[in-house]
Amino acid sequence: MNETSDSEIVSTKTKRIVKLAQQAPDMVIKTLAHHVDMSWLREAYRRTRKRGATGEDGQTAEEYAQQLESNLAKLLELAKSGNYRAPPVRRVHIPKGNGQSRPLGIPTFEDKVLQRAIAMLLEAVYEQDFLDCSYGFRPGRNAHQALTTLRDTLMEMGGGWVIEVDIREYFGSIDHQQLREALGQRIGDGVVLKLIGKWLNAGVMEEGQLSYPETGTPQGGVISPLLANVYLHVVLDTWFEREVKPKLGGKAKLVRFADDFVIALEQERDARRVYEVLPKRFAKFGLQLHPEKTRLVPFKRPPPSKDDDGRRGVAQETFDLLGFTLFWAKSVQGYWVIKVETAPSRFTRTLHRLSEWCRTHRHLPVVEQWKRLCQSLVGHFNYFGVVGNAGRLLALRHEVYGTWRRWLDRRSQRARMSWAKMRLLHQRYPLPQLPEMRSLRS
């Protein structure tokens, strides 16, 4: 069967799940796994990224595809019979650019396919339940939409008070039992819940040592972002919308992208009440807020009489979300507006990462270095290329230019890279220009 017909079959089944979830928002859905058949697994395989690193078994996507039908048939039988054994996740550490690293789990390719299949089931249900405040890892939603919503809300309020929140090691701290209870409020299919339980208990292989963490979702796994969203849907989203907001005296808005979120409030009294109760709410679910990175920020629009040159004042409070810093500044027409620019921490991290790459790859042919740097800068520009941020993008491009010259200069004592030579090289291999800046207006 070709992939087009598989996609159509899966689309039809998905619509049935969506309709059921919409018609019965409070019902525990007990029959989901029967939708998973060969067509569903083929579609899951099609949606699974093929170029990722290999898991503990070393099998590549190309090798798995050599006997695809046979492999998927065996996988389907193991999943439906309850005999599937979730393999350990291979853990590696990715540098963050600030001297620290973050753990990344790499499942086997076959495990990714099965996780994708179950994630497709859960997404059809939970997309009907998730609230508008949630933007991360959801179809048709992105970080720029979250920033737009937050900016527009604060502009309508005339500013206010912002609770900037950092959850300490969120993905590694999710309590397994409470996650199961959260899932049980909506999902009652034994096959699905059993598979999720196996992934939670699969273990982690790191430097030849197998361990079994008692908390956390399978980091790097396809299903992990969805499980993390389900948990915060219960811990934060529904609690804030249904229990907290009705008790507040002024306007309030929660904007969340995965585990990154801020709460904008109109009144200081409301903000201080929520700020005090947040750590208690999260502790109830085994989560901790970072005491230094979680803060209450006064973010009122500056008074009309304030006399400055229209740029962000030194004394004005700012806050960060999704790699951007938000601040008040004068528009061209002289009005106070909220602008965004690349957060200093993200700027430094990106520059450090590219500098480290130039150092370790300085002996590659210049054309290969150029292609990689252009690829990285274009990716950065595509995300941070919003109105008002051109200065920070130009600054990064300038710093990368200097960093590239410095490491080329250290390739050889006899063939130094002077600034004059670098200018000639840059004429042949220019770093990318800035794209057209996009507006964050909704």
Side-chain angles (χ1 to χ4, degrees), residues 37 99 107 182 184 214 233 274 428:
D37 55 14
E214 296 181 358
H233 174 71
V274 175
R428 184 175 182 183

Side-chain angles (χ1 to χ4, degrees), residues 328-346:
W328 286 101
K330 286 284 187 69
S331 68
V332 175
Q333 293 79 16
Y335 300 107
W336 285 108
V337 297
I338 297 173
K339 295 187 177 182
V340 299
E341 66 181 18
T342 309
S345 59
R346 181 62 67 88

Side-chain angles (χ1 to χ4, degrees), residues 138-194:
R138 294 183 60 188
R141 291 182 159 233
N142 57 51
H144 286 175
Q145 291 172 341
L147 288 164
T148 298
T149 297
L150 179 62
R151 177 186 177 278
D152 290 351
T153 297
L154 284 167
M155 286 288 292
E156 291 171 6
M157 288 183 182
W161 293 76
V162 172
I163 303 176
E164 183 182 8
V165 183
D166 183 276
I167 308 174
R168 178 174 278 171
E169 298 180 359
Y170 173 62
F171 284 88
S173 302
I174 296 175
D175 182 89
H176 289 177
Q177 181 56 38
Q178 295 201 73
L179 174 58
R180 291 188 182 94
E181 292 175 3
L183 287 166
Q185 295 177 19
R186 196 65 161 122
I187 308 298
D189 188 298
V191 173
V192 173
L193 293 176
K194 190 172 183 179

Side-chain angles (χ1 to χ4, degrees), residues 72-83:
L72 292 181
K74 292 177 182 177
L75 180 60
L76 180 62
E77 171 61 26
L78 289 172
K80 289 295 187 72
S81 66
N83 293 322

Side-chain angles (χ1 to χ4, degrees), residues 41-61:
L41 281 185
R42 277 192 292 264
E43 179 64 13
Y45 165 82
R46 189 184 69 82
R47 298 185 189 184
T48 301
R49 185 169 176 260
K50 309 297 191 298
R51 296 184 179 181
T54 59
E56 190 61 26
D57 63 357
Q59 186 179 48
T60 65

Side-chain angles (χ1 to χ4, degrees), residues 351 354 358 373 377 394-408 417-427 429-431:
L351 183 60
L354 292 178
C358 288
L373 290 174
L377 283 175
L394 287 172
L396 179 67
R397 186 176 181 273
H398 175 76
E399 292 290 342
V400 170
Y401 175 84
T403 296
W404 191 21
R405 186 209 67 83
R406 183 169 67 253
W407 289 114
L408 288 175
M417 180 59 68
S418 66
W419 283 106
K421 288 182 178 180
M422 186 64 189
R423 284 191 287 271
L424 290 174
L425 182 143
H426 192 250
Q427 290 177 8
Y429 300 110
L431 294 177

Side-chain angles (χ1 to χ4, degrees), residues 139-277:
R141 291 182 159 233
N142 57 51
H144 286 175
Q145 291 172 341
L147 288 164
T148 298
T149 297
L150 179 62
R151 177 186 177 278
D152 290 351
T153 297
L154 284 167
M155 286 288 292
E156 291 171 6
M157 288 183 182
W161 293 76
V162 172
I163 303 176
E164 183 182 8
V165 183
D166 183 276
I167 308 174
R168 178 174 278 171
E169 298 180 359
Y170 173 62
F171 284 88
S173 302
I174 296 175
D175 182 89
H176 289 177
Q177 181 56 38
Q178 295 201 73
L179 174 58
R180 291 188 182 94
E181 292 175 3
L183 287 166
Q185 295 177 19
R186 196 65 161 122
I187 308 298
D189 188 298
V191 173
V192 173
L193 293 176
K194 190 172 183 179
L195 283 171
I196 293 174
K198 289 182 177 182
W199 285 317
L200 294 176
N201 297 321
V204 174
M205 183 68 73
E206 185 173 4
E207 297 181 350
Q209 298 294 319
L210 182 61
S211 62
Y212 295 92
E214 296 181 358
T215 60
T217 59
Q219 294 186 41
V222 174
I223 203 167
S224 183
L226 182 52
L227 295 179
N229 262 344
V230 170
Y231 202 57
L232 279 182
H233 174 71
V234 173
V235 175
L236 177 64
D237 300 355
T238 56
W239 168 74
F240 183 77
E241 293 295 330
R242 299 173 186 175
E243 298 184 34
V244 176
K245 283 182 68 173
K247 300 177 183 178
L248 301 179
K251 297 178 182 178
K253 184 72 173 181
L254 165 66
V255 176
R256 179 174 70 82
F257 189 98
D259 61 324
D260 291 330
F261 72 93
V262 299
I263 303 175
L265 302 107
E266 187 177 27
Q267 297 183 4
E268 179 180 359
R269 180 173 178 271
D270 290 340
R272 295 196 179 278
R273 290 172 62 196
V274 175
Y275 184 70
E276 289 179 5
V277 77

